[in-house]
Amino acid sequence: MKKKVLFVCLGNICRSPSAEAVFSGLVKNKGLSINFEIDSAGTSAWHAGEKADRRMQSHAIERGYDLTSISRQFNPNTDFDHFDYIIGMDDQNISNLKAMARNRQDLSKIYKMTDFSKEFTYNEIPDPYYGGDAGFELVLDLLEDACKGFLETIKDS
Ligand code: 4NP
């Protein structure tokens, strides 16, 4: 059975599309793509239908990640049933997801990206939207580290 992974942030135009691309690249490099279904969503619908933020795209492409996903809002009635791992980027995402959970099984699928960090000690993936270049680079640094940790955590499950 494929493991189904959904990355979630606020707008689904910066952090979670990047997480989707970083994790997809990692599993592709390891020849594991067939074992995964990978998607992303936002807790808000503010940017639904849009491509990823241009600044995020340009920082990502420098590292070989092509951000192709189109923003959509998280749908509690379908996404909690469909996905096995629902991974929020910050504490606000996590509390919003928990508030939408319908039962204990939904709650058990919610994780925070930085809980899988190996090298970094950040407690959240900071929102880069209102900041500068360094914030976008930090997002990618944290995601590359945490995606490795996540894959190691789940690969034998
Ligand atoms: P994301 O970043 O949640 O990483 O996609 C943001 C995108 C848009 C906004 C905030 C954060 N916004 O306020 O529109």
Side-chain angles (χ1 to χ4, degrees):
M1 278 267 280
K2 284 193 193 217
K3 292 184 171 74
K4 303 191 186 85
V5 182
L6 182 69
F7 296 102
V8 177
C9 63
L10 177 59
N12 192 211
I13 55 169
C14 295
R15 294 164 292 175
S16 61
S18 299
E20 179 184 348
V22 168
F23 190 64
S24 297
L26 179 64
V27 300
K28 188 173 179 197
N29 279 342
K30 296 195 180 290
L32 296 172
S33 297
I34 190 73
N35 299 319
F36 289 93
E37 181 181 323
I38 304 165
D39 193 7
S40 65
T43 56
S44 80
W46 299 339
H47 295 277
E50 296 176 17
K51 291 166 78 173
D53 183 281
R54 281 180 201 285
R55 299 163 297 170
M56 192 75 252
Q57 283 193 50
S58 68
H59 285 274
I61 204 78
E62 290 284 321
R63 300 191 192 198
Y65 305 115
D66 193 5
L67 304 189
T68 55
S69 73
I70 301 294
S71 177
R72 72 169 179 92
Q73 187 172 26
F74 179 81
N75 182 337
N77 293 314
T78 52
D79 289 326
F80 277 123
D81 289 329
H82 186 73
F83 289 95
D84 304 307
Y85 300 92
I86 296 171
I87 305 178
M89 298 294 131
D90 65 25
D91 290 328
Q92 190 195 353
N93 307 147
I94 298 296
S95 58
N96 288 339
L97 286 167
K98 285 184 175 169
M100 289 185 273
R102 303 156 303 173
N103 52 48
R104 293 224 307 259
Q105 192 190 8
D106 289 356
L107 281 173
S108 74
K109 296 180 175 185
I110 299 170
Y111 300 85
K112 189 162 67 173
M113 188 84 254
T114 47
D115 289 343
F116 302 106
S117 297
K118 289 161 60 78
E119 309 281 341
F120 287 90
T121 55
Y122 282 69
N123 290 317
E124 303 185 294
I125 309 289
D127 183 348
Y129 193 70
Y130 293 106
D133 288 341
F136 291 94
E137 288 298 313
L138 177 62
V139 165
L140 293 166
D141 289 339
L142 294 173
L143 289 175
E144 287 179 334
D145 182 47
C147 282
K148 275 186 213 156
F150 175 57
L151 183 60
E152 286 172 14
T153 302
I154 64 166
K155 71 176 187 301
D156 299 321
S157 67

